[in-house]
Amino acid sequence: MTATLRILPFLSWRRRPWRLVERNVLAYRRIWYIFLSGFAEPLLFLLSIGVGVGKLVGDLHVGGHLVEYRTFVAPGLLAIAAMNGSLLDTTFNFFVKMKYSHTYDGVLASPLTPRDVAVGEITWALLRGAAYSAAFLLTMLAFGDLRSWWSLLALPGAVLIGFGFAGVGLAATTFMRSFVDFDYVNMAMIPLFLFSATFFPLARYPAGLQAVIRFTPLYQGVVLERSFVIGDLHWTLLANAAYLVAMGVIGLRIASRRIGLLLQP
Amino acid sequence: MSGPMVAARALTKRFGAFVAVDGVDFEIEPGEAFGFLGPNGAGKTSTMRMIGCVSPRTAGELHVLGLDPAHDGPDIRARLGVVPQEDNLDTELTVWDNLMIYGRYFDLPRAEIRERAAELLEFVNLSDRRDSRVDPLSGGMKRRLTIARSLLNRPELLLLDEPTTGLDPQARHLLWDRLYQLKRSGVTLVLTTHYMDEAEQLCDRLVIMDNARIVAEGSPRRLIADNVTREVVEVRLPIEADLDFEAARLKRFGDRIEPLADRVLLYTDDGDATAAAIMSEGFEAGSVLVRRASLEDVFLILTGRSLED
Ligand SMILES: Nc1ncnc2c1ncn2[C@@H]1O[C@H](COP(=O)(O)OP(=O)(O)OP(=O)(O)O)[C@@H](O)[C@H]1O
Ligand SMILES: [Mg+2]
């Protein structure tokens, strides 16, 4: 019996989720060009809306600073890009791997756990999102839209937005039965995209709507990014950040549990 | 480690109100090849999944490698090799990358994985497909890759759920050889199968499951000796024959008879004498066959069903 006893390296729960990140790197290595759209999309938005629409709209006041429309809208687009970037891998791609490719069935027969899968996929989504956000921030820098040294927090801010939406996206996906259900995700994302003070200042919305918007998830990210980039900081930003952290943490917990229930009945 | 590799007591699995495994007891000793035999839906896979720590038990006790799957899942799985009933290879990766990443899940160093992966691909005859994606592989090739993958971490306990289903005879015999080798090197094997010859060849001991319960346990030889007569006479009937009538006619020749769709089995200790008696009754010599009793017969007698799919 002793002959079969082998000393196995200790694979701690801290390192296990990274194995899934490694797996995704292997999977995407062959289809790296799929990555490029994530860089292109927000830049096209910045050019068309920031530059194009900006010419028509003129300058805006943000917390006492007078800024060009492009400078105003760019952090909103950054927040949207961070949201979209993290939802791609945690909703649609995750669904395919879970329901159709049975990728995780094999993974879970190894030492990895459902929680490792959830943490791993979120980590991957954040890394991918961070790359897009960093590229977008460099473009903003080139345009002169980073008005303050607080802009250094814009990248961590984008990762935080990604975390919030990745957690919720992953958790929501575990409840989906078919691709039809993804229409609900789109239905939820379009109003967020349009009405999170992304394209106009909050004050321009009707008072009743303003109160609602203040509690929507993307708004938290837009406020954070805009404040960092323009250099207009308040203590209330901590509440916005806490909101996103809570989304991510609760989403992660629900997703871990649900993955276990679904894949290890 | 001393003590059994797997110990189950009153092990139960329910899916909602449905009972898939109903309070089974068994122990699997180190170095043994242990089989679960049973018809579709008997609860074999459900049991295997509980042992593999990918399905929580509903009730009862279960210890795998001396540990409790409810708490030590990752530690146990690190020492298991698993060939599930349904292949779950990573379809987004190539053959080679499937092995590389699986080794990484077990935290093996890359150089080590490369070495083992090359060796295992050689063993399952897939070396020439290493850069192919998984999807275009044939069913049997996928099966072989899954088997190679299960051996990457040099498991102490290998769980094989219908390992040779879908393999051609050559690949099947190759796998048997390899399983013998593994067994000789001290690896404990647990397998389910529908093939009686496989069970008789490979298993030191097996249990027969039916309707979520274990109905018999023992070595293949013991099971045959305890449940069946030494020999069996098969009487093949013409298509137009009235089965019930013929069965009634044959009844007095055997200790026990089993009418099947196209033939009647007679259990007897002296096959030749029985066959002679039957032929003198007017049955055609070409339709009467004497053979040794097999696990198939044990199965038939215990469950009232044929295992043939
Ligand atoms: N996730 C599940 N939810 C509900 N019922 C299940 C589930 N998994 C298995 N069952 C049921 O449990 C019973 C036992 O199934 P199991 O897969 O263990 O049988 P098996 O002996 O492996 O059969 P086979 O030879 O066909 O592989 C079946 O009736 C099956 O429908
Ligand atoms: Mg089965």
Side-chain angles (χ1 to χ4, degrees), chain A residues 1 4 6 8 11 15 19 22-23 27 29-30 101 103 105-112 263-265, chain B residues 1 13 30 49 54-56 74 77 79 88 90 92-94 97 102 104-107 110 154 156 186:
Chain A
M1 184 56 211
T4 66
R6 290 180 188 89
L8 274 145
L11 182 56
R15 267 160 54 206
R19 300 300 184 228
E22 221 173 296
R23 183 238 161 240
R29 213 173 42 178
R30 271 149 216 282
S101 315
T103 311
D105 292 345
V107 172
L108 291 174
S110 81
L112 273 65
L263 299 182
Q264 305 190 320
Chain B
M1 200 186 79
K13 181 72 196 180
R49 285 176 54 83
V54 291
S55 172
R77 290 195 300 270
R79 296 159 62 188
N88 52 27
D90 198 323
E92 291 175 13
L93 303 180
T94 60
D97 285 346
Y102 216 70
R104 296 295 290 159
Y105 295 155
F106 286 85
D107 210 32
R110 285 195 183 79
R154 307 236 163 107
E156 293 163 53

Side-chain angles (χ1 to χ4, degrees), chain A residues 194-257:
Chain A
L194 292 173
F195 300 110
S196 295
T198 28
F199 299 105
F200 333 96
L202 187 63
R204 301 275 174 93
Y205 293 90
L209 196 54
Q210 279 187 34
V212 176
I213 290 173
R214 274 182 206 284
F215 289 99
T216 57
L218 183 58
Y219 174 78
Q220 320 300 320
V222 173
V223 169
L224 281 177
E225 296 297 16
R226 194 164 284 145
S227 305
F228 292 152
V229 167
I230 294 175
D232 181 33
L233 268 71
H234 301 278
W235 287 111
T236 54
L237 294 183
L238 289 175
N240 302 122
Y243 184 115
L244 292 167
V245 171
M247 275 171 74
V249 170
I250 294 170
L252 173 60
R253 289 192 72 125
I254 294 174
S256 304
R257 230 186 100 70

